[in-house]
Amino acid sequence: MIEVVNVSKMIKKNNFRNIKVEILNNVSFRVRENKIVSIVGPNGAGKSTSIKIIMKFVRATSGSVKVRDGVKIGYLPENPYYYDYLTFRELLRFSTRAFKVDSRSAARQIGHLSERVGLSHCLDKRLRTFSKGMVQRAGLAAAIVHDPDLIILDEPMSGLDPLGRRMVFDLITDLKSQGKTVLFCSHILSDVERLCDEVVIMHKGSVHKELAREDLIRAQKQTEIVVSDDPFVRKQLLASDMTFEVTDGFLNVYVLAGEINNALNILQDNNIDIVMIKPSEITLEKIFEEITV
Amino acid sequence: MWPVAIITFYEGVRSRVLYGIFIFSLFIMFLSVIFASFFMQEIGKVAVDFNLSSISFAGLLISLSLSVGLISKDLDKKTIYFVLSKPISRAEYIFGKYIGLIFVIFFSYIILGILTCIPLLFLQSEYQLYFDTFSWLSYLQAIYFDFLKLVVFNSVIIFFSTVTSSSFITMLFSVSIYIAGQTINEVVNFISVNMVGLEMSATLKMTVQTLKYAIPNFAVFDFKVISAHGLLISVEEFFIFSGYGVGYALITLLLAAVIFQRKEFL
């Protein structure tokens, strides 16, 4: 859906002295169809700039960005600000008009989405009366009201209370189940860990690591059960759909905190001897810290 | 383009600044009743001139208050990301903003035009003798050309908004052009008259000629005196002046679109 290849971006730091700084350095990543991909990284890592280049707000100094032809994009900017005197309904109508959605479908979508983001009672209120969290919800609705194929969200959880975060989490999951592709930036690693199929970790303008679904699953597992390595044991673990890794003659089985009892029962039922149980050392946060600190 | 024009129109007509300007103009217009009564003769001409001037002044205030911040506010608050993430080209954004703004000014001129009719009708009934040359059509002609002046002036403001992201600089350049545009005719005439018998340097000649065509000639849209005498221009003149206004605005907007196309929104 999106292919970013060796993208670099230089900006002028000082117009008079012609001093330039590189804010993106050979950034490459791919967003495949029907996947949820997140770009994570500390402030100034180049996440938003990468998104702005994909959205064509900024031109890359070198490299290329390809977005599949004819794809409808929905975009939520970071800390969005909309027109003060417009109502929420008018904001959504702007989006549907811009995408030439017919009036009947637009009215249906506006009704559905305003309810989905918990703002159906505010449809005819002016945006200047909205709180920060409400603006964020309104922006989210405006980004997807035209039923886009690709949704790009810059810090969608920003300014939201726990309920709002939950709503965004569920919304992104729903979008994936509808076959949509989602690319988003976030600082909230626990949500990224649970939501994404792939994670791109950026630091100082470069991509430092790309994690696939398997890496994330491993990162999500909070506990490691160490068992002896044996072809029979491997076979049993695979049959039981358990995630494991081979290290120094042992098998490290990664288990979610809430599934330990179940995992232990499976291991005992298959007569697999447990060597050790310990907290997992791999989490997305740990990977993130290793790269950025 | 139309979605941008629609939201710009909504934003414009709901702006509190607009209401303030309306109340101020209303006050000035009704002041014209008292003011015109001070004159012993030519009451009709004074009343027409006074009311047209107040419409013109209100139009100028509306343009400066709404138009100057129109694009810079979108850039400052980053609303531009939201708009340009839709299938709206940058040129469509510029034209959409402009058309929305022109609709706001058109809407304001209709209201201001109707409001000025009240003191004029009152004065006409009170001092019938002084309104013998008055013509509503000529009055409408003056309002139309004043509106056309703002069509041009707002394209200039939009142009400067794309050159700089600072509202202050946009305001500074636009007001300078407005003042220059009001006086360019007189300056060109003054130089030509005073240079008779003297050889004008080629550089000065070229500078004057360039400025004459580059700066909008706002004086051609001033029909206040003509309207005060109840006169109408020929159809040919009407189309020439209208064509000049629309053509100038179109070229200025196209230039603005070209500049905006090259901008980056980091």
Side-chain angles (χ1 to χ4, degrees), chain B residues 101-155:
Chain B
L101 183 73
I102 293 302
F103 271 121
V104 175
I105 295 170
F106 181 71
F107 174 72
S108 308
Y109 263 50
I110 289 175
I111 293 174
L112 290 169
I114 293 167
L115 286 176
T116 54
C117 290
I118 302 166
L120 279 177
L121 282 168
F122 173 75
L123 286 166
Q124 200 177 14
S125 65
E126 286 289 304
Y127 308 99
Q128 278 182 7
L129 200 67
Y130 298 105
F131 277 83
D132 53 343
T133 57
F134 177 73
S135 147
W136 283 108
L137 204 59
S138 173
Y139 188 69
L140 197 67
Q141 168 187 273
I143 296 177
Y144 165 75
F145 278 108
D146 201 71
F147 169 72
L148 206 59
K149 179 182 77 182
L150 293 186
V151 166
V152 176
F153 183 47
N154 280 287
S155 71

Coordinates of all heavy atoms in Angstrom, one line a residue, chain B residues 101-155:
Chain B
L101 N -14.4 33.7 0.5 CA -14.2 35.1 1.0 C -15.0 36.1 0.2 O -15.7 37.0 0.7 CB -12.7 35.4 0.9 CG -12.3 36.8 1.5 CD1 -12.4 36.8 3.0 CD2 -10.9 37.1 1.1
I102 N -15.0 35.9 -1.1 CA -15.7 36.8 -2.0 C -17.2 36.7 -1.8 O -17.9 37.7 -1.8 CB -15.3 36.6 -3.5 CG1 -13.8 37.0 -3.7 CG2 -16.2 37.3 -4.5 CD1 -13.5 38.4 -3.4
F103 N -17.6 35.5 -1.5 CA -19.1 35.3 -1.2 C -19.4 36.1 0.1 O -20.5 36.6 0.2 CB -19.4 33.8 -1.0 CG -19.8 33.2 -2.4 CD1 -19.1 32.1 -2.9 CD2 -20.9 33.7 -3.1 CE1 -19.5 31.6 -4.1 CE2 -21.3 33.2 -4.3 CZ -20.6 32.1 -4.8
V104 N -18.5 36.0 1.1 CA -18.8 36.7 2.4 C -18.9 38.2 2.1 O -19.8 38.9 2.6 CB -17.6 36.5 3.4 CG1 -17.8 37.3 4.7 CG2 -17.5 35.0 3.8
I105 N -18.0 38.7 1.3 CA -18.0 40.2 1.0 C -19.2 40.5 0.1 O -19.9 41.5 0.4 CB -16.7 40.6 0.2 CG1 -15.5 40.4 1.2 CG2 -16.7 42.0 -0.2 CD1 -14.1 40.5 0.5
F106 N -19.6 39.6 -0.8 CA -20.8 39.9 -1.6 C -22.0 39.9 -0.7 O -22.9 40.8 -0.8 CB -20.9 38.7 -2.6 CG -22.1 38.9 -3.5 CD1 -22.2 39.8 -4.5 CD2 -23.2 38.0 -3.4 CE1 -23.3 40.0 -5.3 CE2 -24.3 38.1 -4.2 CZ -24.3 39.1 -5.2
F107 N -22.1 39.0 0.2 CA -23.2 38.9 1.2 C -23.3 40.1 2.0 O -24.3 40.7 2.3 CB -23.0 37.6 2.0 CG -23.9 37.4 3.2 CD1 -25.2 37.0 2.9 CD2 -23.5 37.6 4.5 CE1 -26.1 36.8 4.0 CE2 -24.3 37.3 5.5 CZ -25.6 37.0 5.3
S108 N -22.1 40.6 2.5 CA -22.0 41.8 3.3 C -22.4 43.0 2.5 O -23.1 43.9 3.0 CB -20.6 42.0 3.8 OG -20.0 40.9 4.4
Y109 N -22.0 43.1 1.2 CA -22.4 44.2 0.4 C -23.9 44.3 0.1 O -24.4 45.4 0.0 CB -21.6 44.2 -0.9 CG -20.4 45.1 -0.8 CD1 -19.5 44.9 0.2 CD2 -20.1 46.0 -1.8 CE1 -18.4 45.7 0.3 CE2 -19.0 46.9 -1.7 CZ -18.1 46.7 -0.6 OH -17.0 47.5 -0.5
I110 N -24.5 43.1 0.0 CA -26.0 43.1 -0.1 C -26.6 43.8 1.1 O -27.5 44.7 1.0 CB -26.5 41.7 -0.4 CG1 -26.1 41.2 -1.8 CG2 -28.0 41.6 -0.3 CD1 -26.4 39.8 -2.1
I111 N -26.2 43.3 2.3 CA -26.7 43.8 3.5 C -26.4 45.3 3.7 O -27.3 46.1 4.0 CB -26.2 43.0 4.7 CG1 -26.8 41.6 4.7 CG2 -26.6 43.6 6.1 CD1 -26.3 40.6 5.7
L112 N -25.2 45.7 3.5 CA -24.8 47.1 3.6 C -25.5 47.9 2.6 O -26.0 49.0 2.9 CB -23.3 47.2 3.4 CG -22.4 46.7 4.5 CD1 -20.9 46.6 4.0 CD2 -22.5 47.5 5.8
G113 N -25.7 47.4 1.4 CA -26.4 48.2 0.3 C -27.9 48.4 0.7 O -28.4 49.5 0.6
I114 N -28.5 47.4 1.3 CA -29.9 47.5 1.7 C -30.0 48.5 2.9 O -30.9 49.4 2.9 CB -30.5 46.1 2.1 CG1 -30.6 45.2 0.9 CG2 -31.9 46.3 2.8 CD1 -30.9 43.8 1.1
L115 N -29.0 48.4 3.8 CA -29.0 49.3 5.0 C -28.9 50.7 4.6 O -29.5 51.6 5.2 CB -27.9 48.9 6.0 CG -28.1 47.6 6.8 CD1 -26.9 47.3 7.6 CD2 -29.3 47.7 7.7
T116 N -28.1 51.0 3.6 CA -27.8 52.4 3.2 C -29.1 53.0 2.5 O -29.2 54.2 2.4 CB -26.6 52.6 2.2 OG1 -26.8 51.7 1.1 CG2 -25.3 52.3 2.9
C117 N -29.9 52.1 2.0 CA -31.2 52.6 1.3 C -32.1 53.3 2.3 O -32.8 54.2 2.0 CB -31.9 51.4 0.7 SG -31.1 50.7 -0.7
I118 N -32.0 52.9 3.6 CA -32.9 53.4 4.6 C -32.6 54.9 4.8 O -33.5 55.8 4.6 CB -32.8 52.6 5.9 CG1 -33.2 51.2 5.7 CG2 -33.8 53.2 7.0 CD1 -32.9 50.2 6.8
P119 N -31.4 55.3 5.1 CA -31.2 56.8 5.3 C -31.4 57.6 4.0 O -31.9 58.7 4.0 CB -29.7 56.9 5.7 CG -29.1 55.6 5.5 CD -30.2 54.6 5.5
L120 N -31.0 56.9 2.8 CA -31.2 57.6 1.6 C -32.7 57.8 1.2 O -33.1 58.9 0.8 CB -30.6 56.8 0.4 CG -29.1 56.9 0.3 CD1 -28.5 56.0 -0.8 CD2 -28.7 58.4 -0.1
L121 N -33.5 56.8 1.5 CA -35.0 57.0 1.3 C -35.6 58.0 2.2 O -36.4 58.8 1.8 CB -35.7 55.6 1.5 CG -35.6 54.6 0.4 CD1 -36.0 53.2 0.9 CD2 -36.4 55.0 -0.8
F122 N -35.1 58.1 3.4 CA -35.5 59.1 4.4 C -35.2 60.5 3.9 O -36.0 61.4 3.8 CB -34.9 58.8 5.8 CG -35.2 59.8 6.8 CD1 -36.5 59.9 7.4 CD2 -34.3 60.8 7.1 CE1 -36.8 60.9 8.3 CE2 -34.5 61.8 8.0 CZ -35.8 61.9 8.6
L123 N -33.9 60.6 3.5 CA -33.4 61.9 3.1 C -34.1 62.4 1.8 O -34.5 63.5 1.6 CB -31.9 61.9 2.9 CG -31.1 61.9 4.2 CD1 -29.6 61.6 3.9 CD2 -31.2 63.3 4.9
Q124 N -34.4 61.4 0.9 CA -35.0 61.7 -0.4 C -36.5 62.2 -0.1 O -36.9 63.1 -0.8 CB -35.1 60.4 -1.2 CG -35.3 60.6 -2.7 CD -35.3 59.4 -3.5 OE1 -35.4 58.3 -2.9 NE2 -35.2 59.5 -4.8
S125 N -37.1 61.6 0.9 CA -38.5 62.0 1.2 C -38.5 63.4 1.9 O -39.4 64.2 1.7 CB -39.2 61.0 2.0 OG -38.6 60.9 3.3
E126 N -37.4 63.7 2.6 CA -37.4 64.9 3.4 C -36.9 66.1 2.5 O -37.4 67.2 2.6 CB -36.4 64.8 4.5 CG -36.9 64.0 5.7 CD -37.9 64.7 6.5 OE1 -37.7 65.8 7.0 OE2 -39.0 64.1 6.6
Y127 N -35.9 65.8 1.6 CA -35.3 66.9 0.7 C -35.5 66.5 -0.7 O -34.5 66.3 -1.4 CB -33.9 67.1 1.1 CG -33.6 67.3 2.6 CD1 -33.1 66.3 3.4 CD2 -33.8 68.6 3.1 CE1 -32.9 66.5 4.7 CE2 -33.5 68.8 4.5 CZ -33.1 67.8 5.3 OH -32.8 68.0 6.6
Q128 N -36.7 66.4 -1.2 CA -36.9 65.9 -2.6 C -36.2 66.8 -3.6 O -35.7 66.2 -4.6 CB -38.4 65.9 -2.9 CG -39.1 64.7 -2.3 CD -40.6 64.7 -2.6 OE1 -41.1 65.5 -3.4 NE2 -41.3 63.7 -2.0
L129 N -36.1 68.0 -3.4 CA -35.5 69.0 -4.3 C -34.1 68.7 -4.6 O -33.6 68.9 -5.7 CB -35.6 70.4 -3.6 CG -35.5 71.6 -4.6 CD1 -36.7 71.6 -5.5 CD2 -35.4 72.9 -3.7
Y130 N -33.4 68.2 -3.6 CA -31.9 67.9 -3.8 C -31.6 66.5 -4.3 O -30.5 66.1 -4.5 CB -31.2 68.1 -2.4 CG -31.3 69.5 -1.9 CD1 -32.1 69.7 -0.8 CD2 -30.6 70.5 -2.4 CE1 -32.2 71.0 -0.3 CE2 -30.7 71.8 -1.9 CZ -31.5 72.1 -0.9 OH -31.6 73.3 -0.4
F131 N -32.7 65.8 -4.6 CA -32.5 64.4 -5.1 C -32.9 64.3 -6.6 O -33.2 63.2 -7.1 CB -33.2 63.4 -4.3 CG -32.4 63.0 -3.0 CD1 -32.5 63.8 -1.9 CD2 -31.6 61.8 -3.0 CE1 -31.7 63.4 -0.8 CE2 -30.9 61.5 -1.9 CZ -31.0 62.3 -0.8
D132 N -33.0 65.4 -7.3 CA -33.5 65.4 -8.7 C -32.6 64.6 -9.6 O -33.1 64.0 -10.6 CB -33.8 66.8 -9.2 CG -32.5 67.7 -9.0 OD1 -31.6 67.3 -8.3 OD2 -32.5 68.8 -9.7
T133 N -31.3 64.6 -9.3 CA -30.4 63.9 -10.2 C -30.1 62.5 -9.7 O -29.4 61.7 -10.4 CB -29.0 64.6 -10.4 OG1 -28.5 64.8 -9.1 CG2 -29.2 66.0 -11.1
F134 N -30.6 62.2 -8.6 CA -30.3 60.9 -7.9 C -30.8 59.7 -8.8 O -32.0 59.8 -9.2 CB -30.8 60.8 -6.5 CG -30.6 59.5 -5.8 CD1 -29.3 59.1 -5.4 CD2 -31.7 58.6 -5.7 CE1 -29.2 57.9 -4.8 CE2 -31.5 57.4 -5.0 CZ -30.2 57.0 -4.6
S135 N -30.0 58.6 -8.9 CA -30.5 57.4 -9.7 C -30.1 56.2 -8.9 O -28.9 56.0 -8.5 CB -29.9 57.4 -11.1 OG -29.6 56.1 -11.5
W136 N -31.0 55.3 -8.6 CA -30.7 54.1 -7.9 C -29.8 53.2 -8.7 O -28.9 52.5 -8.1 CB -32.0 53.3 -7.6 CG -32.8 53.9 -6.4 CD1 -34.0 54.6 -6.5 CD2 -32.4 53.9 -5.0 NE1 -34.4 55.0 -5.3 CE2 -33.4 54.6 -4.3 CE3 -31.3 53.4 -4.3 CZ2 -33.4 54.8 -2.9 CZ3 -31.3 53.6 -2.9 CH2 -32.3 54.3 -2.3
L137 N -30.0 53.2 -10.0 CA -29.1 52.4 -10.9 C -27.7 52.9 -10.8 O -26.7 52.1 -10.7 CB -29.6 52.5 -12.3 CG -29.3 51.3 -13.2 CD1 -29.8 50.0 -12.7 CD2 -29.8 51.5 -14.6
S138 N -27.5 54.2 -10.8 CA -26.1 54.7 -10.7 C -25.5 54.4 -9.3 O -24.3 54.1 -9.2 CB -26.2 56.3 -10.9 OG -25.0 56.8 -10.6
Y139 N -26.4 54.4 -8.3 CA -26.0 54.1 -6.9 C -25.5 52.6 -6.9 O -24.4 52.3 -6.3 CB -27.1 54.3 -6.0 CG -26.8 54.2 -4.5 CD1 -26.0 55.1 -3.9 CD2 -27.3 53.1 -3.7 CE1 -25.6 55.0 -2.5 CE2 -26.9 53.0 -2.4 CZ -26.1 53.9 -1.8 OH -25.8 53.8 -0.5
L140 N -26.3 51.7 -7.5 CA -26.0 50.3 -7.6 C -24.7 50.1 -8.4 O -23.8 49.2 -8.0 CB -27.1 49.6 -8.3 CG -27.1 48.1 -8.1 CD1 -27.4 47.7 -6.6 CD2 -28.2 47.4 -9.0
Q141 N -24.5 50.9 -9.4 CA -23.3 50.8 -10.2 C -22.0 51.1 -9.4 O -21.0 50.4 -9.5 CB -23.4 51.9 -11.4 CG -22.1 52.1 -12.1 CD -22.3 53.3 -13.1 OE1 -22.7 53.1 -14.2 NE2 -22.0 54.5 -12.7
A142 N -22.1 52.1 -8.5 CA -21.0 52.5 -7.6 C -20.7 51.3 -6.6 O -19.6 51.0 -6.4 CB -21.3 53.8 -6.9
I143 N -21.8 50.7 -6.1 CA -21.6 49.6 -5.1 C -20.9 48.4 -5.9 O -20.0 47.8 -5.3 CB -22.9 49.2 -4.5 CG1 -23.5 50.3 -3.7 CG2 -22.7 48.0 -3.6 CD1 -24.9 50.0 -3.0
Y144 N -21.4 48.2 -7.1 CA -20.8 47.1 -7.9 C -19.3 47.2 -8.1 O -18.6 46.3 -7.9 CB -21.6 46.9 -9.2 CG -20.9 46.0 -10.2 CD1 -20.9 44.7 -10.1 CD2 -20.2 46.6 -11.3 CE1 -20.2 43.9 -11.0 CE2 -19.5 45.8 -12.2 CZ -19.5 44.4 -12.0 OH -18.8 43.6 -12.9
F145 N -19.0 48.4 -8.5 CA -17.5 48.7 -8.8 C -16.7 48.7 -7.5 O -15.5 48.3 -7.5 CB -17.3 49.9 -9.6 CG -17.6 49.7 -11.1 CD1 -18.7 50.2 -11.7 CD2 -16.7 48.9 -11.8 CE1 -18.9 49.9 -13.0 CE2 -16.9 48.6 -13.1 CZ -18.1 49.1 -13.8
D146 N -17.3 49.1 -6.4 CA -16.6 49.1 -5.1 C -16.3 47.6 -4.7 O -15.3 47.3 -4.2 CB -17.4 49.8 -4.0 CG -16.5 50.2 -2.9 OD1 -15.6 51.2 -3.1 OD2 -16.5 49.6 -1.8
F147 N -17.3 46.8 -5.0 CA -17.2 45.4 -4.7 C -16.1 44.8 -5.6 O -15.3 44.0 -5.1 CB -18.6 44.7 -5.0 CG -18.5 43.2 -5.0 CD1 -18.3 42.5 -3.8 CD2 -18.6 42.5 -6.2 CE1 -18.2 41.1 -3.9 CE2 -18.5 41.1 -6.2 CZ -18.3 40.4 -5.1
L148 N -16.1 45.2 -6.9 CA -15.1 44.7 -7.8 C -13.7 45.1 -7.3 O -12.7 44.4 -7.5 CB -15.4 45.3 -9.2 CG -14.8 44.5 -10.4 CD1 -15.4 43.1 -10.4 CD2 -15.2 45.2 -11.7
K149 N -13.6 46.3 -6.7 CA -12.3 46.8 -6.2 C -11.8 45.8 -5.1 O -10.6 45.4 -5.1 CB -12.5 48.2 -5.6 CG -11.2 48.7 -5.0 CD -11.4 50.1 -4.3 CE -12.1 49.9 -3.0 NZ -12.4 51.2 -2.3
L150 N -12.8 45.3 -4.3 CA -12.4 44.4 -3.2 C -12.1 43.0 -3.8 O -11.3 42.2 -3.3 CB -13.5 44.3 -2.2 CG -13.7 45.5 -1.4 CD1 -14.8 45.2 -0.3 CD2 -12.5 46.0 -0.7
V151 N -12.7 42.7 -5.0 CA -12.4 41.4 -5.6 C -10.9 41.4 -6.0 O -10.2 40.4 -5.8 CB -13.3 41.2 -6.9 CG1 -12.7 40.1 -7.8 CG2 -14.7 40.9 -6.5
V152 N -10.4 42.6 -6.5 CA -9.0 42.7 -6.9 C -8.2 42.8 -5.6 O -7.2 42.0 -5.5 CB -8.8 44.0 -7.7 CG1 -7.3 44.2 -8.0 CG2 -9.6 43.9 -9.0
F153 N -8.6 43.6 -4.7 CA -7.8 43.8 -3.4 C -7.6 42.5 -2.7 O -6.5 42.2 -2.2 CB -8.4 44.9 -2.6 CG -7.6 45.2 -1.3 CD1 -6.3 45.5 -1.4 CD2 -8.2 45.3 -0.1 CE1 -5.5 45.8 -0.3 CE2 -7.5 45.6 1.1 CZ -6.1 45.8 0.9
N154 N -8.6 41.7 -2.6 CA -8.5 40.4 -1.9 C -7.6 39.4 -2.6 O -7.0 38.6 -1.9 CB -9.9 39.8 -1.6 CG -10.5 40.5 -0.4 OD1 -10.1 40.3 0.7 ND2 -11.5 41.4 -0.6
S155 N -7.6 39.5 -3.9 CA -6.7 38.6 -4.6 C -5.2 39.0 -4.3 O -4.3 38.2 -4.2 CB -6.9 38.7 -6.1 OG -6.5 39.9 -6.7

